[in-house]
């Protein structure tokens, strides 16, 4: 056997070994990416479950009359904006009465900013808010009940554990 042939065989073996190792590394990378996607989905599901637990509480308080309709609309509209993935809801389309009330009251000052307003402006805001709440109350209560039913099956606490291969 000539030295050239021997070098070619050794070179072929080295190339085959490196190709096999590269294939192995690519397979490991694919597994790692799948694992990362699985962890990301679990994290999103857990976050959504926590959000839905809060939504359920706000809905219950609203149904029982323990939470103003305006406050419920603001809280529900804003918190549902944080839902991710397949559980995301187009709130404006799915809950038009809650959405309408939210858009009526969202710019109205609250807390200390409201207290610093002059009485005339505060009364004007109150009148606008009360008219909207009165007009939309029955529809909002129904929508809150629907929302509560919609998030109940989704509100499963997910335990995240490190998955290894």
């Amino acid at each position: 056997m000539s030295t050239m042939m021997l070098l070619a065989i050794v070179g072929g073996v080295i190339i085959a070994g490196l190709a096999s190792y590269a294939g192995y590394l690519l397979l490991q990378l694919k597994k790692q990416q799948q694992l990362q996607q699985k962890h990301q989905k679990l994290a999103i599901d857990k976050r959504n479950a926590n959000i839905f637990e809060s939504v359920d509480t706000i809905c219950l308080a609203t149904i029982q009359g323990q939470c103003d309709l305006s406050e419920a609309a603001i809280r529900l509209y804003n918190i549902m904006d944080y839902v991710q993935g397949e559980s995301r809801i187009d709130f404006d389309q799915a809950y038009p009465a809650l959405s309408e009330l939210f858009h009526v009251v969202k710019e109205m000052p609250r807390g200390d900013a409201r207290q610093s307003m002059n009485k005339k402006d505060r009364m004007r805001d109150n009148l606008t808010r009360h008219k909207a709440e009165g007009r939309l109350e029955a529809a909002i209560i129904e929508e809150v009940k629907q929302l509560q039913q919609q998030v109940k099956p989704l509100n499963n606490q997910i335990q995240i554990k490190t998955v290894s291969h």
Side-chain angles (χ1 to χ4, degrees), residues 73-161:
I74 290 168
R75 289 177 184 268
L76 291 171
Y77 192 95
N78 286 325
I79 197 169
M80 289 299 290
D81 193 40
Y82 289 102
V83 174
Q84 294 177 308
E86 298 166 3
S87 301
R88 189 153 178 80
I89 298 169
D90 181 355
F91 205 81
D92 289 323
Q93 184 179 354
Y95 302 102
L98 274 166
S99 181
E100 182 180 340
L101 183 58
F102 168 77
H103 290 294
V104 168
V105 299
K106 71 180 179 183
E107 298 298 325
M108 292 181 183
R110 298 174 13 180
D112 291 337
R114 179 176 158 66
Q115 294 304 319
S116 67
M117 291 173 62
N118 68 46
K119 188 174 182 177
K120 183 179 176 184
D121 290 340
R122 201 168 42 238
M123 294 297 278
R124 184 196 65 229
D125 281 358
N126 280 346
L127 181 62
T128 303
R129 182 173 49 84
H130 286 301
K131 279 183 181 178
E133 284 179 347
R135 181 172 48 83
L136 297 168
E137 181 176 8
I140 287 174
I141 295 300
E142 283 307 307
E143 287 181 2
V144 166
K145 288 177 182 177
Q146 289 172 5
L147 178 58
Q148 188 180 34
Q149 290 306 309
Q150 185 174 359
V151 299
K152 262 199 196 314
L154 304 173
N155 186 14
N156 52 349
Q157 291 297 325
I158 299 166
Q159 300 299 321
I160 295 184
K161 298 177 183 173

Side-chain angles (χ1 to χ4, degrees), residues 44-56:
I44 287 171
D45 289 348
K46 182 167 177 51
R47 180 172 187 226
N48 286 348
N50 289 335
I51 290 170
F52 293 145
E53 185 177 344
S54 297
V55 168
D56 183 55

